[in-house]
């Protein structure tokens, strides 16, 4: 059985290097558990070095984004090649908070190619803004997936692609506001169907789908149980070592 996948999206936190060191110290208590999951930590760029020193067996560095510029001189840009040289293994692409700041399906699609050619695994975030009882959000989801992955085709190697299903309405709240299990299963089936339309069944089956949006210790077990997901993309709960380690526990005692 493949290991569950857990990605900690620290966003622009903690607010200081001291906060990072304290968080890493507390997380160290769970080191032995980390070997049982594929763990990625996506800190702000300025904390890369501290996190990199801390990472041991079983944990990897991830980036929350990178610049979409070709080779050459670009002031302020951080390219996938530079990130790769720092040991970055995975890139979160198309997060709804990046989309709110101007990221488009087209730029996500281009970044998938850039990540792959630098040897970085793209984790592509998709998710509806709102959910409606008529199921129209599925059409939104279909369009977003198709456009965000439009740089890939039936012949593409998608064995390294990951999808994070993050319904935007469920992000940054509390466990009670996360998606429920039945709706999550439905969305996962739907995403798999769209991937099948794009790449054929055999390839579509291999793409791990993660869930993100108010994952906390109290709902992690339920969300993970027979919903078809391979793990989580965790925001606020990844900044609290106790909560994060409890989420790791739910993944490994499934
Ligand atoms: P949340 O964030 O866990 O705080 O909802 C998830 C995300 O934005 O990736």
């Amino acid at each position: 059985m493949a290991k569950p996948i857990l990605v900690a999206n620290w966003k622009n936190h903690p607010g200081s290097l001291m906060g990072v060191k304290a968080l890493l110290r507390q997380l160290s208590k769970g080191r032995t558990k980390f070997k049982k999951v594929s763990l990625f930590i996506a800190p702000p760029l300025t904390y890369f070095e501290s996190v990199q020193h801390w990472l041991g067996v079983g944990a990897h560095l991830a980036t929350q984004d990178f610049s979409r510029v070709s080779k050459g001189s670009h002031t302020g840009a951080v390219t996938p090649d530079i990130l790769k040289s720092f040991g970055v293994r995975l890139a979160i692409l198309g997060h709804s908070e990046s989309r709110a700041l101007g990221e488009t399906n087209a730029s996500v699609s281009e970044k998938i190619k850039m990540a792959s050619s630098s040897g970085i695994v793209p984790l592509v975030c998709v998710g509806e803004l709102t959910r409606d009882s008529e199921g129209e959000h599925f059409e939104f989801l279909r369009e977003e997936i198709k456009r965000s992955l439009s740089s890939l085709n039936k012949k593409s190697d998608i064995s390294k692609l990951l999808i994070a299903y993050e319904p935007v309405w469920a992000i940054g709240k509390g466990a009670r506001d996360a998606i429920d299990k039945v709706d999550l299963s439905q969305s996962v089936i739907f995403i798999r169907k769209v991937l099948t339309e794009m790449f054929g069944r055999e390839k579509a089956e291999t793409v791990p789908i993660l869930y993100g949006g108010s994952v906390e210790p109290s709902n992690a077990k339920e969300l993970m149980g027979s919903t078809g997901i391979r793990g989580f993309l965790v925001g606020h709960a990844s900044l609290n070592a106790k909560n994060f380690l409890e989420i790791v526990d739910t993944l490994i005692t499934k």
Side-chain angles (χ1 to χ4, degrees):
M1 267 289 271
K3 286 182 191 174
I5 301 167
L6 185 59
V7 183
N9 179 10
W10 286 5
K11 307 191 178 183
N12 53 322
H13 308 290
S16 70
L17 188 55
M18 246 169 63
V20 173
K21 291 189 172 156
L23 177 57
L24 292 175
R25 229 181 359 259
Q26 289 158 7
L27 283 173
S28 294
K29 293 178 192 146
R31 264 192 195 283
T32 51
K33 302 175 187 178
F34 292 156
K35 296 197 181 104
K36 298 184 183 153
V37 291
S38 289
L39 175 65
F40 297 88
I41 309 264
L45 291 180
T46 43
Y47 300 148
F48 265 29
E49 205 169 349
S50 308
V51 175
Q52 202 195 30
H53 278 307
W54 173 87
L55 293 172
V57 191
H60 309 288
L61 199 55
T63 180
Q64 298 172 17
D65 198 8
F66 54 72
S67 305
R68 189 170 52 101
V69 291
S70 50
K71 281 204 170 23
S73 299
H74 304 281
T75 301
V78 182
T79 54
D81 284 347
I82 295 176
L83 292 165
K84 177 70 182 174
S85 76
F86 248 86
V88 165
R89 301 274 288 269
L90 176 140
I92 299 172
L93 298 179
H95 190 282
S96 60
E97 288 156 8
S98 309
R99 290 179 188 266
L101 292 175
E103 184 85 279
T104 62
N105 288 326
S107 56
V108 172
S109 159
E110 211 178 304
K111 285 178 178 179
I112 293 173
K113 280 280 189 205
M114 292 174 72
S116 302
S117 59
S118 299
I120 294 176
V121 171
L123 169 62
V124 180
C125 302
V126 295
E128 71 278 2
L129 306 178
T130 54
R131 211 174 169 86
D132 64 90
S133 51
E134 264 79 69
E136 280 178 23
H137 52 276
F138 284 122
E139 267 327 293
F140 176 92
L141 201 50
R142 183 196 297 277
E143 273 303 296
E144 191 174 51
I145 297 168
K146 290 208 159 168
R147 288 176 193 266
S148 297
L149 304 186
S150 63
S151 57
L152 303 170
N153 60 40
K154 274 206 153 66
K155 291 198 178 121
S156 304
D157 176 9
I158 57 163
S159 60
K160 298 267 160 55
L161 177 74
L162 299 176
I163 299 283
Y165 171 57
E166 293 210 308
V168 181
W169 53 266
I171 292 178
K173 301 200 173 134
R176 256 183 295 144
D177 301 297
I179 198 165
D180 75 36
K181 191 177 164 157
V182 175
D183 289 343
L184 176 57
S185 310
Q186 243 182 27
S187 293
V188 171
I189 291 169
F190 183 79
I191 292 168
R192 195 78 69 202
K193 182 168 167 275
V194 177
L195 294 174
T196 303
E197 287 165 14
M198 295 182 74
F199 306 108
R201 177 168 299 277
E202 207 174 309
K203 284 187 175 180
E205 294 293 342
T206 65
V207 178
I209 300 174
L210 313 186
Y211 170 76
S214 297
V215 175
E216 292 184 355
S218 60
N219 62 1
K221 196 177 179 78
E222 163 125 2
L223 292 171
M224 192 66 192
S226 59
T227 49
I229 56 166
R230 263 283 292 286
F232 296 123
L233 173 55
V234 181
H236 64 272
S238 69
L239 295 161
N240 176 309
K242 182 175 170 291
N243 287 347
F244 192 64
L245 293 176
E246 276 180 48
I247 293 173
V248 174
D249 280 337
T250 64
L251 291 179
I252 61 185
T253 54
K254 188 165 73 88

